[in-house]
Amino acid sequence: QAELRNSRLENEALRAGQAGLAAAKQNAEVALQHLLQVTTSSRASIRQLLSGAESLQLVADLLKSIDRIAEVSEDGQ
């Protein structure tokens, strides 16, 4: 009877370990999905930042051109 009880306890422990492993796998899958979503969102944000930086550079270049045009106009009068 002691061996039977030990076998049952061992069996229960193994089942509990398998349940824990299944829960860990499910948690890992959820974490993976969240990580992929954050990665996608981060890439979109980086693209927006780069686009904004390019727009700011264009405005800066236009402002430099306006200064040059103003200088030429003043010299030409």
Side-chain angles (χ1 to χ4, degrees), residues 46-62:
I46 289 169
R47 282 193 293 273
Q48 289 175 336
L49 284 170
L50 288 173
S51 176
E54 289 172 2
S55 296
L56 289 173
Q57 184 63 53
L58 177 62
V59 170
D61 292 342
L62 288 172

Side-chain angles (χ1 to χ4, degrees), residues 30-45:
V30 169
L32 172 63
Q33 293 306 317
H34 287 301
L35 183 60
L36 291 173
Q37 289 173 352
V38 168
T39 301
T40 300
S41 176
S42 297
R43 286 184 175 155
S45 295

Side-chain angles (χ1 to χ4, degrees), residues 2-23:
E3 283 185 36
L4 182 59
R5 184 170 26 96
N6 286 339
S7 293
R8 285 181 183 165
L9 291 173
E10 187 178 335
N11 208 4
E12 289 174 12
L14 288 172
R15 286 186 183 138
Q18 287 176 346
L21 181 59

